[in-house]
Amino acid sequence: NRAIDINWRDERYYSNELGGLSGGRCMVGLKPGDDGDGELIGTESSTVLKTTASLEPYRDSGIVVYFHGYYEDFERSCRRASTFKRRLALGDGFLLFSWPANSTPLTYGEDVADLEASTPVFLEFLNELGRRHGAENISIVGHSLGTRGLVKALSEWPASEGKFRNLILIAADIDRDRFVEALPLLRSHIEEITVLVSDRDIALRVSETVNSAPRFGQSDGVVIDDVTFFDVTDIADEHFTGHIYHLRNDRVVDIIRGVLQRSGEEVVP
């Protein structure tokens, strides 16, 4: 077996309750040839400052912060983040921000409340990370419900602290109107905004019903100035929910890697 280390910033001290920030590394074991999410085999606690300082910008992609989605407790978020890191072939410049989502799909409302409560803490974390490494060297990737927290936090980012390199939203579970309202602020805080959408995302169809509004991660052919869209409907079919294509589909991973590493070049799906 082999283990993949991943830096993490956690807001729970290993529980599903809101708490202070902690940091460290989580180790995920994989069997040879295993293409799944592996097994969490251990964690190493550290201080927040040491965790942040241990990040090393990776080649052309710099530092990548991953903000997970709904129905991902600490263990699952570590396992899935390690899968994402491994597929992207990133080094020690990858960091998971793990907020207190639950381990059951029946607590969507609780996850929404905990996400909103976590937003100020995430903004505090971004301020610290930006001061240490420079916002221009940082890309932020959000998935599912986590994109809602990202949009809120980044809308409140102080313009005087610089602009982040990338914001990548995957299967975004956020109202389209809310994103459009926040877009002027996001443009002033982020160099490149990229959105991956799919019309086969069953989880977002359910969320559309629950929230009584279309989700931004659904494919509808929308075009927004200064936002790059990739419609992965025709290639994202590796999981029955159609919601975690960034973990299961090589072509989707190639798109995300290309966005993280490009310097103005066009990325072709």
Side-chain angles (χ1 to χ4, degrees):
N1 293 5
R2 58 192 175 95
I4 293 179
D5 292 342
I6 181 168
N7 290 294
W8 53 267
R9 288 287 297 271
D10 185 62
E11 201 184 340
R12 287 163 292 183
Y13 296 116
Y14 309 105
S15 74
N16 286 337
E17 302 295 331
L18 288 169
L21 280 171
S22 58
R25 301 182 74 88
C26 54
M27 283 70 71
V28 176
L30 294 169
K31 296 179 180 179
D34 186 1
D35 197 36
D37 296 332
E39 177 183 0
L40 181 64
I41 59 177
T43 60
E44 293 179 356
S45 297
S46 181
T47 67
V48 168
L49 290 176
K50 286 183 178 179
T51 299
T52 305
S54 69
L55 294 171
E56 297 180 5
Y58 185 72
R59 297 181 184 175
D60 297 331
S61 55
I63 290 174
V64 177
V65 178
Y66 179 61
F67 200 101
H68 68 79
Y70 145 80
Y71 181 32
E72 290 193 21
D73 60 7
F74 179 70
E75 178 179 350
R76 177 174 285 187
S77 66
C78 279
R79 292 191 291 107
R80 287 189 167 177
S82 73
T83 296
F84 194 41
K85 173 186 175 181
R86 171 171 51 91
R87 282 186 166 272
L88 288 172
L90 297 176
D92 288 332
F94 185 91
L95 186 143
L96 163 70
F97 184 91
S98 182
W99 56 277
N102 287 280
S103 58
T104 169
L106 303 178
T107 55
Y108 182 85
E110 293 180 20
D111 278 3
V112 170
D114 286 340
L115 174 67
E116 292 177 351
S118 302
T119 300
V121 184
F122 182 64
L123 184 59
E124 173 191 338
F125 154 68
L126 285 182
N127 282 327
E128 177 187 320
L129 193 65
R131 285 193 298 268
R132 180 174 291 273
H133 295 284
E136 69 279 4
N137 298 313
I138 300 169
S139 294
I140 305 170
V141 182
H143 174 243
S144 186
L145 184 62
T147 62
R148 195 181 308 183
L150 282 185
V151 169
K152 186 175 188 303
L154 291 171
S155 297
E156 300 172 6
W157 174 255
S160 60
E161 297 296 330
K163 299 178 73 170
F164 291 103
R165 181 172 178 172
N166 284 294
L167 172 64
I168 302 176
L169 304 180
I170 303 168
D173 185 6
I174 180 174
D175 291 359
R176 291 170 181 163
D177 290 345
R178 181 180 297 186
F179 177 86
V180 172
E181 290 173 2
L183 188 55
L185 286 172
L186 295 177
R187 287 192 182 112
S188 67
H189 303 331
I190 303 158
E191 291 289 348
E192 300 283 345
I193 301 174
T194 302
V195 181
L196 277 70
V197 299
S198 173
D199 201 35
R200 293 184 179 180
D201 194 322
I202 297 174
L204 290 187
R205 292 179 192 173
V206 174
S207 179
E208 179 182 9
T209 300
V210 171
N211 291 284
S212 301
R215 316 320 287 160
F216 195 48
Q218 294 174 298
S219 173
D220 67 352
V222 65
V223 176
I224 300 176
D225 290 344
D226 299 324
V227 177
T228 300
F229 287 88
F230 289 100
D231 189 334
V232 299
T233 298
D234 294 335
I235 61 176
D237 58 357
E238 265 69 18
H239 190 267
F240 72 94
T241 67
H243 194 58
I244 55 172
Y245 44 78
H246 64 304
L247 304 180
R248 300 289 182 259
N249 189 289
D250 289 338
R251 292 175 65 186
V252 173
V253 172
D254 286 343
I255 291 172
I256 298 171
R257 185 188 300 112
V259 171
L260 291 171
Q261 295 179 349
R262 72 182 174 187
S263 300
E265 296 91 348
E266 182 178 3
V267 180
V268 180

